[in-house]
Amino acid sequence: MQGLFISMEGPDGAGKTTQIELLQTYLADKGYEIVLTRDPGGTVISEAVRRLILNKEYHEMCADTELLLYAAARAQLVQEVIRPALADGKAVISDRFVDSSVVYQGIARDMGIEKVYAVNDHALRGLRPQLTVLLDLDADEGLRRKCRQTELDRMEAEGLEFHQKVVEGYRFLADREKGRILRISATLPKEDIHAKIVLAIEERILNR
Ligand code: TMP
């Protein structure tokens, strides 16, 4: 069996976790051994970096540091977890991946997409998901959903304007990379979203 790499993207509050759970069941039924992971995170070192990045006390963290820390967490995740799993023919589902850096740091923080790719080239060495699902949701609705759930972390605590740039950034990226990124409205019922994801996997990957 060939390895399969799928990432789930979207603004905070879009419902990625629910869709990842449904996708996991679907791929397991197809016979895949599943590796679930999250970015930043997924290894002991990357989870430590995650705590550093999202700690609200570090409000002085500059954009360059943030960009490099996300890339550092990702480098460890790629080398320790994702590449070995793909080499073993497993299906890797990642809650966020490099597109989050492109959108949050490159577009919302205004650092520029090219700079984000340049830094992340070191972390990825050519690795990209075969399919990226974008759960598309307006920023105000995403924040409303998130505020109901938890205390906000350093990124979530950014203002509405930042989160609007994130949403616009994702839409821009999805238009630019239609072959890889599947954009689905996060306001649809969860079963409908899942059905669209399954269809895309079958059409674009499994039955090609
Ligand atoms: P999570 O809570 O969805 O796991 O994501 C952590 C936060 O980090 C979320 O607000 C998005 C943000 N983020 C970036 O800004 N850049 C990145 O490269 C990644 C992976 C996440």
Side-chain angles (χ1 to χ4, degrees), residues 8-13 16-17 38-41 50 53-54 66-67 69-71 73-74 94-106 108-109 116 120 146 153-158 162-163 166 170:
M8 193 71 70
E9 294 280 352
D12 297 296
K16 296 189 297 298
T17 310
R38 65 173 182 179
D39 182 17
R50 177 189 174 93
I53 303 174
L54 298 182
E66 185 181 281
L67 174 65
L69 285 175
Y70 276 116
R74 188 168 298 126
S94 187
D95 183 344
R96 300 191 181 279
F97 200 59
V98 67
D99 298 306
S100 282
S101 276
V102 173
V103 169
Y104 282 77
Q105 282 66 53
R109 287 258 192 262
V116 173
N120 276 276
K146 203 74 203 182
D153 64 38
R154 195 178 63 83
M155 298 302 287
E156 290 160 352
E158 289 286 344
F162 178 84
H163 289 284
V166 166
Y170 270 129

Short mmCIF file of all heavy atoms in Angstrom, two decimals, residues 8-13 16-17 38-41 50 53-54 66-67 69-71 73-74 94-106 108-109 116 120 146 153-158 162-163 166 170, ligand 1:
data_model
loop_
_atom_site.label_atom_id
_atom_site.label_comp_id
_atom_site.label_asym_id
_atom_site.label_seq_id
_atom_site.Cartn_x
_atom_site.Cartn_y
_atom_site.Cartn_z
N MET A 8 -5.43 18.94 7.16
CA MET A 8 -6.71 19.61 7.39
C MET A 8 -6.39 21.04 7.83
O MET A 8 -5.64 21.24 8.78
CB MET A 8 -7.43 18.86 8.51
CG MET A 8 -8.86 19.18 8.71
SD MET A 8 -9.95 18.57 7.41
CE MET A 8 -9.89 16.82 7.67
N GLU A 9 -6.95 22.00 7.10
CA GLU A 9 -6.66 23.40 7.40
C GLU A 9 -7.94 24.18 7.63
O GLU A 9 -9.03 23.75 7.23
CB GLU A 9 -5.89 24.05 6.24
CG GLU A 9 -4.50 23.51 5.98
CD GLU A 9 -3.44 24.08 6.93
OE1 GLU A 9 -3.75 25.02 7.70
OE2 GLU A 9 -2.31 23.57 6.90
N GLY A 10 -7.79 25.35 8.20
CA GLY A 10 -8.94 26.23 8.38
C GLY A 10 -8.69 27.17 9.53
O GLY A 10 -7.79 26.94 10.34
N PRO A 11 -9.51 28.22 9.62
CA PRO A 11 -9.33 29.14 10.73
C PRO A 11 -9.71 28.47 12.05
O PRO A 11 -10.36 27.42 12.05
CB PRO A 11 -10.30 30.28 10.40
CG PRO A 11 -11.29 29.69 9.47
CD PRO A 11 -10.61 28.61 8.72
N ASP A 12 -9.28 29.05 13.15
CA ASP A 12 -9.63 28.50 14.46
C ASP A 12 -11.15 28.41 14.56
O ASP A 12 -11.86 29.33 14.18
CB ASP A 12 -9.07 29.41 15.57
CG ASP A 12 -7.54 29.45 15.52
OD1 ASP A 12 -6.93 28.41 15.72
OD2 ASP A 12 -6.98 30.53 15.24
N GLY A 13 -11.64 27.26 15.04
CA GLY A 13 -13.08 27.12 15.23
C GLY A 13 -13.82 26.52 14.03
O GLY A 13 -15.05 26.43 14.05
N LYS A 16 -12.09 21.27 12.49
CA LYS A 16 -11.13 20.32 11.92
C LYS A 16 -11.13 18.99 12.68
O LYS A 16 -11.05 17.93 12.07
CB LYS A 16 -9.72 20.92 11.94
CG LYS A 16 -9.56 22.16 11.06
CD LYS A 16 -8.12 22.60 10.92
CE LYS A 16 -7.49 23.04 12.23
NZ LYS A 16 -8.14 24.21 12.86
N THR A 17 -11.23 19.08 14.00
CA THR A 17 -11.13 17.86 14.81
C THR A 17 -12.22 16.85 14.45
O THR A 17 -11.95 15.66 14.29
CB THR A 17 -11.23 18.23 16.32
OG1 THR A 17 -10.32 19.30 16.56
CG2 THR A 17 -10.90 17.06 17.21
N ARG A 38 -0.56 16.51 14.65
CA ARG A 38 -0.93 17.92 14.55
C ARG A 38 0.33 18.76 14.44
O ARG A 38 1.40 18.38 14.92
CB ARG A 38 -1.75 18.37 15.75
CG ARG A 38 -1.01 18.34 17.07
CD ARG A 38 -1.88 18.96 18.14
NE ARG A 38 -1.21 19.00 19.45
CZ ARG A 38 -1.76 19.52 20.53
NH1 ARG A 38 -2.96 20.03 20.48
NH2 ARG A 38 -1.11 19.52 21.68
N ASP A 39 0.18 19.89 13.77
CA ASP A 39 1.29 20.81 13.53
C ASP A 39 0.86 22.20 14.02
O ASP A 39 -0.18 22.69 13.56
CB ASP A 39 1.59 20.81 12.03
CG ASP A 39 2.76 21.70 11.65
OD1 ASP A 39 3.55 22.06 12.55
OD2 ASP A 39 2.88 22.03 10.45
N PRO A 40 1.55 22.84 14.93
CA PRO A 40 2.76 22.38 15.60
C PRO A 40 2.43 21.31 16.62
O PRO A 40 1.43 21.40 17.31
CB PRO A 40 3.28 23.65 16.29
CG PRO A 40 2.07 24.47 16.56
CD PRO A 40 1.14 24.19 15.43
N GLY A 41 3.31 20.29 16.70
CA GLY A 41 3.14 19.22 17.68
C GLY A 41 3.45 17.88 17.07
O GLY A 41 4.14 17.78 16.07
N ARG A 50 5.51 23.87 20.57
CA ARG A 50 4.13 24.36 20.50
C ARG A 50 3.77 25.16 21.76
O ARG A 50 3.19 26.24 21.68
CB ARG A 50 3.18 23.16 20.34
CG ARG A 50 1.71 23.55 20.34
CD ARG A 50 0.79 22.34 20.40
NE ARG A 50 -0.58 22.76 20.54
CZ ARG A 50 -1.43 22.96 19.53
NH1 ARG A 50 -1.05 22.73 18.30
NH2 ARG A 50 -2.65 23.38 19.75
N ILE A 53 5.37 28.51 21.54
CA ILE A 53 4.76 29.42 20.56
C ILE A 53 3.43 29.97 21.05
O ILE A 53 3.11 31.14 20.85
CB ILE A 53 4.50 28.72 19.20
CG1 ILE A 53 5.76 28.11 18.61
CG2 ILE A 53 3.89 29.69 18.20
CD1 ILE A 53 5.50 27.29 17.34
N LEU A 54 2.63 29.11 21.67
CA LEU A 54 1.25 29.51 21.97
C LEU A 54 1.09 30.14 23.35
O LEU A 54 0.00 30.61 23.70
CB LEU A 54 0.30 28.30 21.82
CG LEU A 54 0.23 27.70 20.41
CD1 LEU A 54 -0.75 26.54 20.36
CD2 LEU A 54 -0.16 28.74 19.36
N GLU A 66 8.55 33.62 15.57
CA GLU A 66 7.34 32.79 15.42
C GLU A 66 7.45 31.90 14.17
O GLU A 66 7.23 30.69 14.23
CB GLU A 66 6.14 33.73 15.32
CG GLU A 66 4.81 33.02 15.27
CD GLU A 66 3.67 34.04 15.14
OE1 GLU A 66 3.30 34.65 16.16
OE2 GLU A 66 3.16 34.21 14.02
N LEU A 67 7.84 32.52 13.05
CA LEU A 67 7.98 31.78 11.79
C LEU A 67 8.97 30.62 11.93
O LEU A 67 8.72 29.50 11.49
CB LEU A 67 8.43 32.75 10.69
CG LEU A 67 8.77 32.15 9.34
CD1 LEU A 67 7.54 31.54 8.68
CD2 LEU A 67 9.37 33.21 8.42
N LEU A 69 10.08 29.17 14.70
CA LEU A 69 9.66 28.14 15.66
C LEU A 69 8.64 27.18 15.03
O LEU A 69 8.72 25.97 15.22
CB LEU A 69 9.08 28.78 16.93
CG LEU A 69 10.11 29.40 17.88
CD1 LEU A 69 9.40 30.12 19.03
CD2 LEU A 69 11.06 28.34 18.43
N TYR A 70 7.69 27.73 14.27
CA TYR A 70 6.74 26.84 13.58
C TYR A 70 7.51 25.91 12.64
O TYR A 70 7.21 24.71 12.56
CB TYR A 70 5.70 27.64 12.79
CG TYR A 70 4.52 28.12 13.63
CD1 TYR A 70 4.28 29.47 13.83
CD2 TYR A 70 3.62 27.21 14.19
CE1 TYR A 70 3.18 29.91 14.57
CE2 TYR A 70 2.53 27.64 14.94
CZ TYR A 70 2.32 28.98 15.13
OH TYR A 70 1.24 29.41 15.86
N ALA A 71 8.48 26.46 11.92
CA ALA A 71 9.25 25.63 10.97
C ALA A 71 10.08 24.58 11.71
O ALA A 71 10.22 23.44 11.24
CB ALA A 71 10.13 26.52 10.10
N ALA A 73 9.38 23.17 14.66
CA ALA A 73 8.46 22.12 15.13
C ALA A 73 8.11 21.19 13.97
O ALA A 73 8.05 19.96 14.11
CB ALA A 73 7.20 22.75 15.70
N ARG A 74 7.92 21.78 12.80
CA ARG A 74 7.53 21.01 11.61
C ARG A 74 8.68 20.11 11.13
O ARG A 74 8.45 18.97 10.70
CB ARG A 74 7.11 21.99 10.51
CG ARG A 74 6.50 21.36 9.29
CD ARG A 74 5.84 22.42 8.41
NE ARG A 74 4.77 23.09 9.12
CZ ARG A 74 4.66 24.42 9.28
NH1 ARG A 74 5.54 25.24 8.75
NH2 ARG A 74 3.67 24.92 9.96
N SER A 94 -2.83 15.14 9.15
CA SER A 94 -2.24 16.18 10.01
C SER A 94 -3.22 17.33 10.20
O SER A 94 -3.76 17.88 9.23
CB SER A 94 -0.93 16.69 9.40
OG SER A 94 -0.31 17.57 10.31
N ASP A 95 -3.45 17.66 11.46
CA ASP A 95 -4.25 18.82 11.81
C ASP A 95 -3.34 20.05 11.62
O ASP A 95 -2.51 20.31 12.46
CB ASP A 95 -4.71 18.68 13.27
CG ASP A 95 -5.62 19.78 13.73
OD1 ASP A 95 -5.68 20.82 13.05
OD2 ASP A 95 -6.26 19.62 14.78
N ARG A 96 -3.47 20.70 10.48
CA ARG A 96 -2.64 21.80 9.99
C ARG A 96 -1.30 21.29 9.46
O ARG A 96 -0.81 20.25 9.87
CB ARG A 96 -2.34 22.85 11.07
CG ARG A 96 -3.58 23.52 11.63
CD ARG A 96 -3.16 24.72 12.48
NE ARG A 96 -4.31 25.38 13.06
CZ ARG A 96 -5.07 26.25 12.41
NH1 ARG A 96 -4.79 26.57 11.17
NH2 ARG A 96 -6.10 26.81 12.99
N PHE A 97 -0.71 22.06 8.53
CA PHE A 97 0.64 21.80 8.05
C PHE A 97 1.18 23.11 7.50
O PHE A 97 0.75 24.19 7.94
CB PHE A 97 0.64 20.64 7.02
CG PHE A 97 1.98 20.01 6.83
CD1 PHE A 97 2.66 19.43 7.89
CD2 PHE A 97 2.60 19.99 5.58
CE1 PHE A 97 3.92 18.86 7.72
CE2 PHE A 97 3.85 19.42 5.40
CZ PHE A 97 4.51 18.86 6.48
N VAL A 98 2.05 23.06 6.50
CA VAL A 98 2.77 24.27 6.10
C VAL A 98 1.83 25.39 5.60
O VAL A 98 2.15 26.57 5.73
CB VAL A 98 3.86 23.94 5.05
CG1 VAL A 98 3.25 23.49 3.73
CG2 VAL A 98 4.80 25.11 4.84
N ASP A 99 0.67 25.04 5.06
CA ASP A 99 -0.26 26.09 4.60
C ASP A 99 -0.62 27.04 5.74
O ASP A 99 -0.88 28.22 5.50
CB ASP A 99 -1.53 25.48 4.01
CG ASP A 99 -1.24 24.62 2.80
OD1 ASP A 99 -0.59 25.14 1.85
OD2 ASP A 99 -1.61 23.45 2.78
N SER A 100 -0.65 26.53 6.97
CA SER A 100 -0.94 27.43 8.10
C SER A 100 0.14 28.51 8.22
O SER A 100 -0.17 29.66 8.51
CB SER A 100 -0.99 26.65 9.42
OG SER A 100 -2.21 25.96 9.54
N SER A 101 1.39 28.13 8.00
CA SER A 101 2.46 29.15 8.06
C SER A 101 2.33 30.14 6.90
O SER A 101 2.55 31.34 7.08
CB SER A 101 3.84 28.48 7.99
OG SER A 101 4.25 28.04 9.26
N VAL A 102 1.98 29.62 5.72
CA VAL A 102 1.83 30.51 4.56
C VAL A 102 0.76 31.56 4.87
O VAL A 102 0.93 32.76 4.62
CB VAL A 102 1.45 29.70 3.29
CG1 VAL A 102 1.12 30.63 2.13
CG2 VAL A 102 2.58 28.75 2.93
N VAL A 103 -0.35 31.10 5.47
CA VAL A 103 -1.48 31.99 5.69
C VAL A 103 -1.29 32.86 6.95
O VAL A 103 -1.45 34.08 6.89
CB VAL A 103 -2.78 31.15 5.78
CG1 VAL A 103 -3.93 31.98 6.28
CG2 VAL A 103 -3.11 30.57 4.40
N TYR A 104 -0.96 32.24 8.08
CA TYR A 104 -0.87 33.01 9.34
C TYR A 104 0.36 33.93 9.34
O TYR A 104 0.25 35.09 9.68
CB TYR A 104 -0.81 32.08 10.56
CG TYR A 104 -2.16 31.50 10.96
CD1 TYR A 104 -2.73 30.45 10.24
CD2 TYR A 104 -2.86 31.99 12.06
CE1 TYR A 104 -3.96 29.91 10.62
CE2 TYR A 104 -4.09 31.45 12.44
CZ TYR A 104 -4.62 30.41 11.72
OH TYR A 104 -5.83 29.88 12.09
N GLN A 105 1.54 33.36 8.99
CA GLN A 105 2.75 34.18 9.05
C GLN A 105 2.92 34.97 7.72
O GLN A 105 3.20 36.16 7.74
CB GLN A 105 3.99 33.32 9.32
CG GLN A 105 4.17 32.90 10.77
CD GLN A 105 3.08 31.96 11.29
OE1 GLN A 105 2.82 30.93 10.68
NE2 GLN A 105 2.45 32.31 12.40
N GLY A 106 2.78 34.27 6.60
CA GLY A 106 3.03 34.91 5.30
C GLY A 106 2.04 36.00 4.98
O GLY A 106 2.42 37.09 4.55
N ALA A 108 -1.28 36.85 7.02
CA ALA A 108 -1.88 37.63 8.12
C ALA A 108 -0.83 38.47 8.85
O ALA A 108 -1.09 39.61 9.22
CB ALA A 108 -2.60 36.69 9.08
N ARG A 109 0.37 37.91 9.04
CA ARG A 109 1.45 38.69 9.67
C ARG A 109 2.22 39.52 8.65
O ARG A 109 3.19 40.19 8.99
CB ARG A 109 2.45 37.77 10.37
CG ARG A 109 1.96 37.16 11.63
CD ARG A 109 2.52 37.84 12.86
NE ARG A 109 2.25 37.06 14.05
CZ ARG A 109 1.24 37.30 14.88
NH1 ARG A 109 0.42 38.30 14.67
NH2 ARG A 109 1.07 36.54 15.94
N VAL A 116 8.17 32.62 3.72
CA VAL A 116 7.68 31.44 4.44
C VAL A 116 8.12 30.16 3.74
O VAL A 116 8.59 29.22 4.37
CB VAL A 116 6.14 31.49 4.58
CG1 VAL A 116 5.61 30.19 5.18
CG2 VAL A 116 5.73 32.68 5.43
N ASN A 120 10.64 27.27 5.16
CA ASN A 120 10.08 25.93 5.31
C ASN A 120 10.69 24.90 4.37
O ASN A 120 10.55 23.69 4.62
CB ASN A 120 8.56 25.96 5.19
CG ASN A 120 7.92 26.34 6.51
OD1 ASN A 120 7.73 25.48 7.37
ND2 ASN A 120 7.66 27.62 6.70
N LYS A 146 -14.92 29.45 18.84
CA LYS A 146 -13.74 29.16 19.65
C LYS A 146 -13.89 29.71 21.06
O LYS A 146 -13.53 29.06 22.04
CB LYS A 146 -12.51 29.78 18.97
CG LYS A 146 -11.20 29.15 19.33
CD LYS A 146 -11.02 27.81 18.67
CE LYS A 146 -10.03 26.97 19.44
NZ LYS A 146 -9.78 25.68 18.82
N ASP A 153 -5.54 30.89 23.07
CA ASP A 153 -4.07 30.90 23.14
C ASP A 153 -3.53 32.16 22.46
O ASP A 153 -4.31 33.02 22.02
CB ASP A 153 -3.49 29.61 22.54
CG ASP A 153 -3.79 29.45 21.06
OD1 ASP A 153 -3.78 30.47 20.33
OD2 ASP A 153 -4.02 28.30 20.61
N ARG A 154 -2.18 32.26 22.36
CA ARG A 154 -1.57 33.52 21.88
C ARG A 154 -2.03 33.88 20.46
O ARG A 154 -2.25 35.06 20.15
CB ARG A 154 -0.03 33.39 21.93
CG ARG A 154 0.72 34.73 21.81
CD ARG A 154 2.23 34.50 21.94
NE ARG A 154 2.75 33.68 20.87
CZ ARG A 154 3.07 34.11 19.66
NH1 ARG A 154 2.97 35.39 19.38
NH2 ARG A 154 3.50 33.28 18.74
N MET A 155 -2.19 32.88 19.59
CA MET A 155 -2.62 33.16 18.21
C MET A 155 -4.11 33.47 18.15
O MET A 155 -4.55 34.40 17.48
CB MET A 155 -2.31 31.97 17.30
CG MET A 155 -0.85 31.61 17.18
SD MET A 155 0.17 32.96 16.58
CE MET A 155 -0.30 32.99 14.87
N GLU A 156 -4.89 32.67 18.87
CA GLU A 156 -6.35 32.88 18.85
C GLU A 156 -6.73 34.24 19.43
O GLU A 156 -7.74 34.83 19.07
CB GLU A 156 -7.06 31.77 19.63
CG GLU A 156 -7.00 30.41 18.94
CD GLU A 156 -7.26 29.25 19.88
OE1 GLU A 156 -7.33 29.46 21.11
OE2 GLU A 156 -7.37 28.13 19.39
N ALA A 157 -5.88 34.72 20.35
CA ALA A 157 -6.18 35.99 21.02
C ALA A 157 -5.92 37.21 20.11
O ALA A 157 -6.19 38.34 20.51
CB ALA A 157 -5.37 36.11 22.31
N GLU A 158 -5.37 36.99 18.92
CA GLU A 158 -5.21 38.09 17.95
C GLU A 158 -6.60 38.63 17.59
O GLU A 158 -7.58 37.90 17.66
CB GLU A 158 -4.54 37.56 16.67
CG GLU A 158 -3.07 37.22 16.82
CD GLU A 158 -2.19 38.47 16.89
OE1 GLU A 158 -2.64 39.57 16.54
OE2 GLU A 158 -1.03 38.32 17.34
N PHE A 162 -6.91 40.35 12.18
CA PHE A 162 -5.91 39.32 11.91
C PHE A 162 -6.62 38.05 11.39
O PHE A 162 -6.22 37.47 10.38
CB PHE A 162 -5.12 39.01 13.19
CG PHE A 162 -4.09 37.92 13.04
CD1 PHE A 162 -2.82 38.19 12.55
CD2 PHE A 162 -4.38 36.60 13.40
CE1 PHE A 162 -1.87 37.19 12.42
CE2 PHE A 162 -3.44 35.59 13.26
CZ PHE A 162 -2.18 35.89 12.78
N HIS A 163 -7.68 37.67 12.07
CA HIS A 163 -8.38 36.44 11.67
C HIS A 163 -9.09 36.60 10.32
O HIS A 163 -9.23 35.63 9.58
CB HIS A 163 -9.32 36.00 12.78
CG HIS A 163 -8.59 35.47 13.98
ND1 HIS A 163 -8.00 34.23 14.02
CD2 HIS A 163 -8.25 36.06 15.15
CE1 HIS A 163 -7.37 34.06 15.16
NE2 HIS A 163 -7.50 35.15 15.88
N VAL A 166 -6.49 35.90 7.85
CA VAL A 166 -6.26 34.45 7.78
C VAL A 166 -7.27 33.81 6.82
O VAL A 166 -6.90 33.05 5.92
CB VAL A 166 -6.38 33.81 9.19
CG1 VAL A 166 -6.48 32.28 9.09
CG2 VAL A 166 -5.19 34.20 10.06
N TYR A 170 -6.41 32.00 3.27
CA TYR A 170 -6.77 30.62 2.92
C TYR A 170 -7.51 30.57 1.58
O TYR A 170 -7.27 29.69 0.75
CB TYR A 170 -7.66 30.01 4.00
CG TYR A 170 -6.90 29.31 5.11
CD1 TYR A 170 -7.16 29.59 6.45
CD2 TYR A 170 -5.95 28.33 4.83
CE1 TYR A 170 -6.50 28.93 7.47
CE2 TYR A 170 -5.28 27.66 5.84
CZ TYR A 170 -5.56 27.97 7.16
OH TYR A 170 -4.90 27.31 8.16
P1 TMP B 1 -4.25 24.65 16.56
O1 TMP B 1 -4.76 25.22 17.84
O2 TMP B 1 -5.26 24.60 15.47
O3 TMP B 1 -3.51 23.37 16.76
O4 TMP B 1 -3.14 25.67 15.97
C1 TMP B 1 -2.34 26.42 16.74
C2 TMP B 1 -2.34 27.86 16.29
O5 TMP B 1 -1.14 28.14 15.57
C3 TMP B 1 -3.49 28.29 15.40
O6 TMP B 1 -3.97 29.55 15.86
C4 TMP B 1 -2.86 28.46 14.04
C5 TMP B 1 -1.43 28.80 14.37
N1 TMP B 1 -0.44 28.38 13.37
C6 TMP B 1 0.36 29.33 12.75
O7 TMP B 1 0.22 30.53 13.00
N2 TMP B 1 1.33 28.90 11.88
C7 TMP B 1 1.55 27.58 11.63
O8 TMP B 1 2.44 27.25 10.83
C8 TMP B 1 0.70 26.60 12.27
C9 TMP B 1 0.90 25.15 11.99
C10 TMP B 1 -0.27 27.03 13.13
#
